[in-house]
Amino acid sequence: MPMYVYQCDTCGVTFERRQRMTEPPLVDCPECDGHVHRVIQPVGIVFKGSGFYVTDNRSRSSTALPGKKESESKNEGDKGSDAKSTAPEKPSPPKSD
């Protein structure tokens, strides 16, 4: 049987009740007879099997940005680190005195 959490709208008390899934939800607070509502609780999920981890069944190309080839994404990373060196430097002419 599942455990349900309820909270009173009037006094704010929070309590748990074990109920069957077919039972209607509670409407009255046991403390003040005010209106109660069921509080949604997070559920623990366990993924079993292969394919749920980043390292499972992933090729190198699937980690690249969508719409770009693998070689383009590698070259893009190099552009930002050395933006000035796109044109070769010309040697300065020798000074004549």
Side-chain angles (χ1 to χ4, degrees), residues 31-97:
E31 301 287 324
C32 69
D33 291 327
H35 186 286
V36 296
H37 65 274
R38 198 180 278 175
V39 179
I40 305 297
Q41 296 292 313
V43 180
I45 299 174
V46 178
F47 294 107
K48 293 186 178 183
S50 62
F52 290 107
Y53 296 98
V54 175
T55 56
D56 287 347
N57 303 324
R58 299 208 46 195
S59 64
R60 189 163 180 82
S61 63
S62 67
T63 59
L65 295 174
K68 292 188 177 186
K69 294 180 184 174
E70 189 174 336
S71 60
E72 288 177 2
S73 63
K74 285 182 183 177
N75 292 339
E76 187 176 278
D78 296 338
K79 288 180 185 176
S81 62
D82 202 19
K84 290 192 286 183
S85 66
T86 56
E89 246 182 74
K90 294 180 182 177
S92 59
K95 293 182 181 179
S96 58
D97 287 52

Side-chain angles (χ1 to χ4, degrees), residues 3-22:
M3 183 76 76
Y4 293 106
V5 177
Y6 290 91
Q7 185 173 18
C8 179
D9 294 333
T10 308
C11 66
V13 70
T14 303
F15 59 96
E16 296 177 343
R17 288 289 184 264
R18 178 170 278 165
Q19 294 178 300
R20 295 178 189 260
M21 294 178 74
T22 56

